[in-house]
Amino acid sequence: MCARDHVGATVKTQPFLRSFVTPAALCALAFLIAMAAVLQYSLRAYIPGSLDPGGLTLANFTALLKPLYAQVFLNTVWICFLTASYTLIVGYPLAYALVHVRNRFAKSAILITVVTPLFLGEVVRTYSWIIVLGNNGFINSILLQLGIIETPFQFMFTRFGVVVALVHVTMPVMVIMLAAALSHIDRDYLEAAESLGAGRIRAFATVTLPLSMPGIIAGVTTSFAWTFSAFATPQLIGGGQVNMISNLVYQLGFASFNFPFAASLCVAGLALTLAVLSLLRLATRPLEKMGPH
Amino acid sequence: MSSTAADMRRDVPQAAGGAGDDIAVRFSGVAKRFGDVVALNDVSLAIRRGELMTLLGPSGCGKTTLLNLVAGFFSPDAGQVLIGDELVNNVATYKREIGMMFQNYALFPHMTVAANVGYGLKMRRLPRADIERRVGDVLALVKLAGLQERKPRQLSGGQQQRVALARALVINPRVLLLDEPFSALDKNLRASMQVELREIQRTLGVTTIFVTHDQSEALSLSDRIAVMLEGRVRQVGAPAEIYAQPCERFVASFVGDANVLRGRLDRVAGGEAIVALGDARVKVSAVPLTGLASAAAVDLFVRPEQMQVSDAPGPCASVGTVAAQIYQGGHVDLYLDSVDSVSGRLLVRLPGHEAMTRWPIGARVNISFDRDTAVAFPA
Ligand SMILES: Nc1ncnc2c1ncn2[C@@H]1O[C@H](COP(=O)(O)OP(=O)(O)OP(=O)(O)O)[C@@H](O)[C@H]1O
Ligand SMILES: [Mg+2]
């Protein structure tokens, strides 16, 4: 309601936006039709050997309850959770440095490093990780050369490898959101804390961290949603050993041509995403109160 | 409330021995530059224990920089900053035991009033019960009792100000630092906060450094004023002293209203000089005029309330025509056009409201000065 009023007001004050209304509505309509098609497919029976679906049924959804599929769902949530956590842990110091470093070159260097993943396609990025993580890859070669390990360390086809690559993918969003939150924290708050007897670390823990909480929540939530639909990364680095929902959809849809079942996976995946995000929101509500507003 | 104040009062040595250890903060030969900008240049200043010292000066003269040197947000390029007997040049802010009130208050927006005020005590790891009691006491002192659970954004500007003051005071700081604390308040609130701050500061006896560029605030609030210009302290003294005996042109024109009249040096005798202006011979201090030849042009600074107007013929310092009258309630400001004034205008402040009818616009008047109140500087 509020949002619509706002949009209405914006359109009124900026008349040129009016010309976007029709294309926007058309796009929305197209997406809606696609969603309806997926939903419709998910309720149809699968006829082996045929691309056309059969009659209405709920069988696809009951089949999802099999441990095999439930496992993939859990795995997906877990990978999203790990990715969001690691991205936060690595991204926070980066965002902090980005906001507080004075040197302009250092600032640009951080920004470029963090943002580059956005410019490379997911596939290119994933292949570079294969070069880094592979058994003959960058890390293993160095460790072998230095004699630290005797056999290559297995990164490829492991959940760890997938998460590492996904963290890289998610980093830009996280850092940008955290940096936005951090840059809104007035320096005076820190000086006030210090004048009251807080050392650097305590000032950070009692002032900066809680005040950046809205950014943390936004970053984690977005990373979560962002990772949920990951496809190329788990496909290439997981190599079938680490499956997320998208990979399962791909296998069922394009290897077995079981479109109805693939569609029901999509619907369930979407529902799960929404469920997890609302849970996340619920869980972070008390934390949000810590923020500035 | 008085018991509260007694609890919080620091041990202020009452003996007026004038001993060296009566100094709470001392700057000696302090310099600070930011890139090419010289913010402070060889500043030496001693602030006595328990006094309210105001740093007064125009924007950019280095007041905040000097204050921040006490707070420790950076260290001086040269010279020494001492708090008590301790050289603090390289002591971190959080170890300095100072209380600072920021211009925008800098209240932590995510904490309640109680948590804000108790923050410094929590950092000192006091037991919870003690914190609660002292927070309650200090909130009572600033007249905010009962607002513990509010968030800063639920308070008015004046209330936020009091919270900021309470937060700085509750830790019994060695020095209280206030950087233009009242600049964001409207005129009435500012006046009442000034009175209140003064009362609280007196009751607690806390050494206070107060920064302002508002000369009337400085005059009404301070025990002593340090007038600054371009990174230097130009004069230090009690408000009355600064007002009545400014040591240089800048101080005379920056503090209080002053009329500047061009006269001639008549003669110098001992510590006194006589300046001739019209028929008048005005006695002034000779110190600022040292080295001037007889008959040299000098500028006479006369306060508006030290001038008299009359329409009786006779000897006078100058003549003028009433150009405007401004009714101020308790007094009337008359603006006169006069050829002797350096700016062409003179401001005369007359008590009561009779002046409105007595000296209508266009009236020609003779101007004279109160005896021995003017100061003079080389033109
Ligand atoms: N962090 C800084 N970096 C660069 N220059 C600075 C910095 N802080 C102060 N300066 C400069 O030093 C000079 C003194 O600044 P300062 O803030 O002490 O002035 P001020 O007397 O407090 O002025 P105002 O009344 O405007 O607050 C100014 O010329 C200012 O531009
Ligand atoms: Mg300032």
Side-chain angles (χ1 to χ4, degrees), chain B residues 219-266:
Chain B
L219 288 174
S220 63
L221 213 59
S222 324
D223 288 315
R224 288 196 302 156
I225 299 174
V227 186
M228 295 179 65
L229 179 68
E230 290 166 356
R232 288 173 185 275
V233 172
R234 312 308 284 249
Q235 186 173 4
V236 183
E241 198 180 326
I242 300 272
Y243 187 75
Q245 291 135 35
C247 71
E248 63 172 271
R249 225 189 147 85
F250 161 73
V251 177
S253 51
F254 190 76
V255 181
D257 296 318
N259 294 299
V260 188
L261 299 108
R262 182 65 47 88
R264 250 181 334 94
L265 183 60
D266 196 43

Short mmCIF file of all heavy atoms in Angstrom, two decimals, chain B residues 219-266:
data_model
loop_
_atom_site.label_atom_id
_atom_site.label_comp_id
_atom_site.label_asym_id
_atom_site.label_seq_id
_atom_site.Cartn_x
_atom_site.Cartn_y
_atom_site.Cartn_z
N LEU B 219 31.11 35.76 27.22
CA LEU B 219 31.12 36.77 28.28
C LEU B 219 30.22 36.36 29.44
O LEU B 219 30.55 36.57 30.60
CB LEU B 219 30.66 38.13 27.72
CG LEU B 219 31.64 38.83 26.80
CD1 LEU B 219 31.02 40.08 26.22
CD2 LEU B 219 32.93 39.18 27.56
N SER B 220 29.08 35.76 29.12
CA SER B 220 28.12 35.50 30.20
C SER B 220 28.44 34.22 30.97
O SER B 220 27.98 34.03 32.08
CB SER B 220 26.71 35.40 29.61
OG SER B 220 26.64 34.32 28.73
N LEU B 221 29.22 33.33 30.38
CA LEU B 221 29.36 31.99 30.95
C LEU B 221 30.68 31.74 31.67
O LEU B 221 30.76 30.91 32.57
CB LEU B 221 29.24 30.99 29.78
CG LEU B 221 28.61 29.66 30.03
CD1 LEU B 221 27.20 29.85 30.53
CD2 LEU B 221 28.60 28.87 28.73
N SER B 222 31.71 32.45 31.28
CA SER B 222 33.07 31.98 31.61
C SER B 222 33.61 32.52 32.92
O SER B 222 33.24 33.61 33.36
CB SER B 222 34.03 32.40 30.49
OG SER B 222 33.41 32.34 29.25
N ASP B 223 34.52 31.74 33.52
CA ASP B 223 35.39 32.30 34.54
C ASP B 223 36.49 33.09 33.85
O ASP B 223 36.82 34.20 34.24
CB ASP B 223 36.03 31.18 35.36
CG ASP B 223 35.02 30.53 36.29
OD1 ASP B 223 34.27 31.28 36.94
OD2 ASP B 223 34.98 29.29 36.34
N ARG B 224 37.06 32.47 32.82
CA ARG B 224 38.06 33.18 32.02
C ARG B 224 37.84 32.83 30.55
O ARG B 224 37.26 31.81 30.21
CB ARG B 224 39.47 32.77 32.43
CG ARG B 224 39.86 33.33 33.81
CD ARG B 224 41.36 33.25 34.01
NE ARG B 224 41.85 31.88 33.90
CZ ARG B 224 43.11 31.60 33.57
NH1 ARG B 224 43.98 32.55 33.30
NH2 ARG B 224 43.49 30.34 33.51
N ILE B 225 38.33 33.72 29.71
CA ILE B 225 38.19 33.54 28.27
C ILE B 225 39.57 33.57 27.64
O ILE B 225 40.40 34.40 28.02
CB ILE B 225 37.34 34.67 27.64
CG1 ILE B 225 35.94 34.70 28.24
CG2 ILE B 225 37.28 34.53 26.12
CD1 ILE B 225 35.10 35.89 27.78
N ALA B 226 39.81 32.66 26.71
CA ALA B 226 41.02 32.75 25.89
C ALA B 226 40.55 33.12 24.49
O ALA B 226 39.84 32.35 23.85
CB ALA B 226 41.77 31.43 25.88
N VAL B 227 40.91 34.31 24.04
CA VAL B 227 40.49 34.75 22.71
C VAL B 227 41.54 34.29 21.71
O VAL B 227 42.73 34.51 21.89
CB VAL B 227 40.35 36.28 22.64
CG1 VAL B 227 39.77 36.69 21.29
CG2 VAL B 227 39.46 36.78 23.76
N MET B 228 41.07 33.59 20.68
CA MET B 228 42.00 33.03 19.70
C MET B 228 41.79 33.65 18.33
O MET B 228 40.69 34.05 17.96
CB MET B 228 41.80 31.51 19.61
CG MET B 228 42.14 30.78 20.89
SD MET B 228 41.85 29.00 20.73
CE MET B 228 43.08 28.57 19.50
N LEU B 229 42.90 33.70 17.58
CA LEU B 229 42.83 34.13 16.18
C LEU B 229 43.95 33.43 15.44
O LEU B 229 45.09 33.41 15.90
CB LEU B 229 42.97 35.66 16.07
CG LEU B 229 42.93 36.21 14.65
CD1 LEU B 229 41.55 36.04 14.04
CD2 LEU B 229 43.34 37.68 14.63
N GLU B 230 43.60 32.84 14.31
CA GLU B 230 44.59 32.22 13.42
C GLU B 230 45.58 31.33 14.16
O GLU B 230 46.79 31.44 14.00
CB GLU B 230 45.32 33.30 12.64
CG GLU B 230 44.40 33.94 11.61
CD GLU B 230 44.97 35.23 11.05
OE1 GLU B 230 46.04 35.66 11.51
OE2 GLU B 230 44.32 35.80 10.16
N GLY B 231 45.05 30.45 15.00
CA GLY B 231 45.90 29.45 15.63
C GLY B 231 46.70 29.94 16.82
O GLY B 231 47.57 29.22 17.31
N ARG B 232 46.45 31.16 17.25
CA ARG B 232 47.17 31.66 18.42
C ARG B 232 46.17 32.16 19.47
O ARG B 232 45.10 32.63 19.12
CB ARG B 232 48.06 32.85 18.05
CG ARG B 232 49.27 32.48 17.26
CD ARG B 232 49.95 33.78 16.83
NE ARG B 232 51.07 33.52 15.95
CZ ARG B 232 52.30 33.23 16.39
NH1 ARG B 232 52.54 33.20 17.69
NH2 ARG B 232 53.27 33.01 15.53
N VAL B 233 46.60 32.09 20.74
CA VAL B 233 45.81 32.71 21.80
C VAL B 233 46.24 34.16 21.89
O VAL B 233 47.42 34.44 22.09
CB VAL B 233 46.03 31.98 23.14
CG1 VAL B 233 45.36 32.74 24.26
CG2 VAL B 233 45.49 30.57 23.06
N ARG B 234 45.30 35.10 21.73
CA ARG B 234 45.68 36.51 21.69
C ARG B 234 45.55 37.17 23.05
O ARG B 234 46.27 38.09 23.36
CB ARG B 234 44.83 37.28 20.68
CG ARG B 234 44.70 36.61 19.34
CD ARG B 234 46.06 36.25 18.76
NE ARG B 234 46.76 37.38 18.22
CZ ARG B 234 46.99 37.55 16.92
NH1 ARG B 234 46.57 36.66 16.05
NH2 ARG B 234 47.67 38.58 16.50
N GLN B 235 44.58 36.73 23.85
CA GLN B 235 44.44 37.32 25.18
C GLN B 235 43.70 36.34 26.08
O GLN B 235 42.77 35.67 25.63
CB GLN B 235 43.66 38.65 25.11
CG GLN B 235 43.62 39.36 26.45
CD GLN B 235 43.00 40.76 26.37
OE1 GLN B 235 42.52 41.18 25.32
NE2 GLN B 235 43.03 41.47 27.49
N VAL B 236 44.14 36.28 27.32
CA VAL B 236 43.47 35.43 28.31
C VAL B 236 43.08 36.30 29.48
O VAL B 236 43.90 37.08 29.97
CB VAL B 236 44.40 34.30 28.81
CG1 VAL B 236 43.65 33.39 29.78
CG2 VAL B 236 44.97 33.52 27.65
N GLY B 237 41.83 36.17 29.93
CA GLY B 237 41.45 36.96 31.09
C GLY B 237 40.00 36.75 31.45
O GLY B 237 39.25 36.09 30.71
N ALA B 238 39.59 37.32 32.58
CA ALA B 238 38.20 37.25 32.99
C ALA B 238 37.37 38.04 31.98
O ALA B 238 37.89 38.95 31.33
CB ALA B 238 38.05 37.84 34.39
N PRO B 239 36.08 37.69 31.83
CA PRO B 239 35.24 38.37 30.84
C PRO B 239 35.31 39.90 30.95
O PRO B 239 35.49 40.58 29.93
CB PRO B 239 33.84 37.85 31.16
CG PRO B 239 34.07 36.50 31.73
CD PRO B 239 35.36 36.59 32.48
N ALA B 240 35.21 40.43 32.18
CA ALA B 240 35.20 41.88 32.34
C ALA B 240 36.52 42.49 31.86
O ALA B 240 36.56 43.57 31.28
CB ALA B 240 34.96 42.23 33.81
N GLU B 241 37.59 41.75 32.11
CA GLU B 241 38.92 42.22 31.73
C GLU B 241 39.04 42.26 30.20
O GLU B 241 39.53 43.23 29.62
CB GLU B 241 39.91 41.22 32.32
CG GLU B 241 41.33 41.66 32.43
CD GLU B 241 42.14 40.52 33.02
OE1 GLU B 241 41.61 39.77 33.87
OE2 GLU B 241 43.30 40.37 32.60
N ILE B 242 38.59 41.18 29.56
CA ILE B 242 38.65 41.11 28.10
C ILE B 242 37.81 42.23 27.50
O ILE B 242 38.19 42.86 26.52
CB ILE B 242 38.11 39.74 27.61
CG1 ILE B 242 38.92 38.60 28.18
CG2 ILE B 242 38.02 39.70 26.10
CD1 ILE B 242 40.11 38.20 27.39
N TYR B 243 36.66 42.46 28.11
CA TYR B 243 35.73 43.45 27.57
C TYR B 243 36.26 44.87 27.77
O TYR B 243 36.20 45.69 26.88
CB TYR B 243 34.37 43.29 28.26
CG TYR B 243 33.26 44.13 27.68
CD1 TYR B 243 32.67 43.79 26.47
CD2 TYR B 243 32.79 45.26 28.35
CE1 TYR B 243 31.65 44.55 25.93
CE2 TYR B 243 31.77 46.04 27.82
CZ TYR B 243 31.20 45.68 26.61
OH TYR B 243 30.20 46.43 26.08
N ALA B 244 36.79 45.11 28.97
CA ALA B 244 37.18 46.48 29.28
C ALA B 244 38.61 46.80 28.84
O ALA B 244 38.90 47.92 28.46
CB ALA B 244 37.04 46.73 30.79
N GLN B 245 39.49 45.81 28.90
CA GLN B 245 40.88 46.08 28.53
C GLN B 245 41.39 45.12 27.46
O GLN B 245 42.31 44.36 27.70
CB GLN B 245 41.79 45.97 29.77
CG GLN B 245 41.58 47.07 30.77
CD GLN B 245 41.51 46.52 32.18
OE1 GLN B 245 42.18 45.56 32.52
NE2 GLN B 245 40.68 47.13 33.01
N PRO B 246 40.79 45.15 26.29
CA PRO B 246 41.29 44.30 25.22
C PRO B 246 42.72 44.71 24.89
O PRO B 246 43.03 45.89 24.91
CB PRO B 246 40.34 44.58 24.05
CG PRO B 246 39.73 45.90 24.35
CD PRO B 246 39.68 46.01 25.85
N CYS B 247 43.58 43.72 24.65
CA CYS B 247 44.99 44.04 24.48
C CYS B 247 45.33 44.35 23.04
O CYS B 247 46.42 44.79 22.74
CB CYS B 247 45.85 42.89 25.00
SG CYS B 247 45.76 41.45 23.94
N GLU B 248 44.42 44.03 22.13
CA GLU B 248 44.72 44.36 20.74
C GLU B 248 43.43 44.61 19.99
O GLU B 248 42.34 44.30 20.45
CB GLU B 248 45.53 43.24 20.08
CG GLU B 248 44.78 41.92 20.02
CD GLU B 248 45.54 40.91 19.20
OE1 GLU B 248 45.32 40.87 17.98
OE2 GLU B 248 46.38 40.18 19.77
N ARG B 249 43.60 45.19 18.83
CA ARG B 249 42.50 45.58 17.97
C ARG B 249 41.49 44.46 17.74
O ARG B 249 40.28 44.64 17.88
CB ARG B 249 43.11 45.97 16.63
CG ARG B 249 42.59 47.19 16.05
CD ARG B 249 43.13 47.29 14.64
NE ARG B 249 42.08 47.94 13.89
CZ ARG B 249 41.94 49.26 13.84
NH1 ARG B 249 42.81 50.04 14.44
NH2 ARG B 249 40.93 49.78 13.19
N PHE B 250 42.02 43.28 17.40
CA PHE B 250 41.13 42.17 17.08
C PHE B 250 40.23 41.82 18.27
O PHE B 250 39.02 41.65 18.13
CB PHE B 250 41.93 40.93 16.65
CG PHE B 250 41.13 39.67 16.75
CD1 PHE B 250 40.11 39.41 15.83
CD2 PHE B 250 41.34 38.76 17.78
CE1 PHE B 250 39.35 38.27 15.94
CE2 PHE B 250 40.57 37.62 17.89
CZ PHE B 250 39.57 37.38 16.97
N VAL B 251 40.83 41.74 19.45
CA VAL B 251 40.05 41.38 20.64
C VAL B 251 38.98 42.43 20.90
O VAL B 251 37.82 42.12 21.17
CB VAL B 251 40.97 41.21 21.87
CG1 VAL B 251 40.15 40.89 23.11
CG2 VAL B 251 42.00 40.11 21.62
N ALA B 252 39.37 43.71 20.78
CA ALA B 252 38.43 44.79 21.04
C ALA B 252 37.24 44.73 20.09
O ALA B 252 36.10 44.96 20.49
CB ALA B 252 39.13 46.13 20.91
N SER B 253 37.49 44.39 18.84
CA SER B 253 36.36 44.39 17.90
C SER B 253 35.60 43.07 17.91
O SER B 253 34.42 43.04 17.57
CB SER B 253 36.85 44.73 16.49
OG SER B 253 37.93 43.91 16.15
N PHE B 254 36.26 41.97 18.32
CA PHE B 254 35.56 40.68 18.29
C PHE B 254 34.68 40.49 19.51
O PHE B 254 33.61 39.90 19.43
CB PHE B 254 36.58 39.55 18.20
CG PHE B 254 35.95 38.22 17.93
CD1 PHE B 254 35.49 37.91 16.65
CD2 PHE B 254 35.79 37.27 18.94
CE1 PHE B 254 34.89 36.69 16.39
CE2 PHE B 254 35.18 36.06 18.68
CZ PHE B 254 34.74 35.77 17.40
N VAL B 255 35.12 40.99 20.66
CA VAL B 255 34.36 40.79 21.89
C VAL B 255 33.53 42.03 22.19
O VAL B 255 34.07 43.10 22.41
CB VAL B 255 35.30 40.49 23.07
CG1 VAL B 255 34.50 40.25 24.34
CG2 VAL B 255 36.18 39.29 22.77
N GLY B 256 32.24 41.87 22.17
CA GLY B 256 31.35 42.99 22.45
C GLY B 256 31.27 43.93 21.26
O GLY B 256 32.02 43.81 20.29
N ASP B 257 30.30 44.87 21.32
CA ASP B 257 30.18 45.87 20.26
C ASP B 257 31.16 47.00 20.56
O ASP B 257 31.36 47.36 21.71
CB ASP B 257 28.76 46.44 20.23
CG ASP B 257 27.75 45.37 19.87
OD1 ASP B 257 28.05 44.57 18.97
OD2 ASP B 257 26.68 45.33 20.51
N ALA B 258 31.76 47.53 19.52
CA ALA B 258 32.69 48.64 19.73
C ALA B 258 32.53 49.66 18.62
O ALA B 258 32.34 49.31 17.46
CB ALA B 258 34.13 48.12 19.78
N ASN B 259 32.60 50.94 18.99
CA ASN B 259 32.65 52.01 18.00
C ASN B 259 34.11 52.37 17.80
O ASN B 259 34.87 52.46 18.77
CB ASN B 259 31.90 53.24 18.52
CG ASN B 259 30.42 52.95 18.64
OD1 ASN B 259 29.76 52.64 17.66
ND2 ASN B 259 29.91 53.03 19.87
N VAL B 260 34.49 52.52 16.57
CA VAL B 260 35.88 52.88 16.29
C VAL B 260 35.91 54.31 15.75
O VAL B 260 35.28 54.61 14.73
CB VAL B 260 36.49 51.92 15.25
CG1 VAL B 260 37.99 52.18 15.12
CG2 VAL B 260 36.22 50.47 15.63
N LEU B 261 36.62 55.19 16.47
CA LEU B 261 36.70 56.60 16.05
C LEU B 261 38.16 56.96 15.79
O LEU B 261 39.04 56.56 16.56
CB LEU B 261 36.12 57.52 17.11
CG LEU B 261 34.64 57.28 17.43
CD1 LEU B 261 34.48 56.63 18.78
CD2 LEU B 261 33.88 58.59 17.35
N ARG B 262 38.38 57.68 14.72
CA ARG B 262 39.75 58.06 14.37
C ARG B 262 40.13 59.33 15.13
O ARG B 262 39.47 60.36 15.01
CB ARG B 262 39.81 58.31 12.86
CG ARG B 262 41.17 58.67 12.27
CD ARG B 262 42.21 57.56 12.37
NE ARG B 262 41.78 56.23 11.98
CZ ARG B 262 41.83 55.74 10.75
NH1 ARG B 262 42.25 56.48 9.76
NH2 ARG B 262 41.45 54.50 10.49
N GLY B 263 41.21 59.23 15.98
CA GLY B 263 41.66 60.41 16.72
C GLY B 263 43.15 60.63 16.48
O GLY B 263 43.74 60.02 15.58
N ARG B 264 43.77 61.48 17.32
CA ARG B 264 45.19 61.79 17.20
C ARG B 264 45.84 61.57 18.54
O ARG B 264 45.27 61.90 19.57
CB ARG B 264 45.37 63.25 16.78
CG ARG B 264 45.87 63.49 15.38
CD ARG B 264 46.03 64.99 15.11
NE ARG B 264 45.18 65.86 15.90
CZ ARG B 264 45.57 66.43 17.06
NH1 ARG B 264 46.78 66.24 17.53
NH2 ARG B 264 44.72 67.20 17.72
N LEU B 265 47.08 61.02 18.51
CA LEU B 265 47.80 60.85 19.77
C LEU B 265 48.26 62.23 20.22
O LEU B 265 48.94 62.95 19.49
CB LEU B 265 48.99 59.92 19.57
CG LEU B 265 49.79 59.59 20.83
CD1 LEU B 265 48.89 58.92 21.86
CD2 LEU B 265 50.97 58.71 20.49
N ASP B 266 47.87 62.61 21.43
CA ASP B 266 48.23 63.93 21.93
C ASP B 266 49.58 63.87 22.64
O ASP B 266 50.52 64.54 22.27
CB ASP B 266 47.13 64.41 22.87
CG ASP B 266 47.21 65.90 23.12
OD1 ASP B 266 47.44 66.64 22.15
OD2 ASP B 266 47.07 66.30 24.29
#
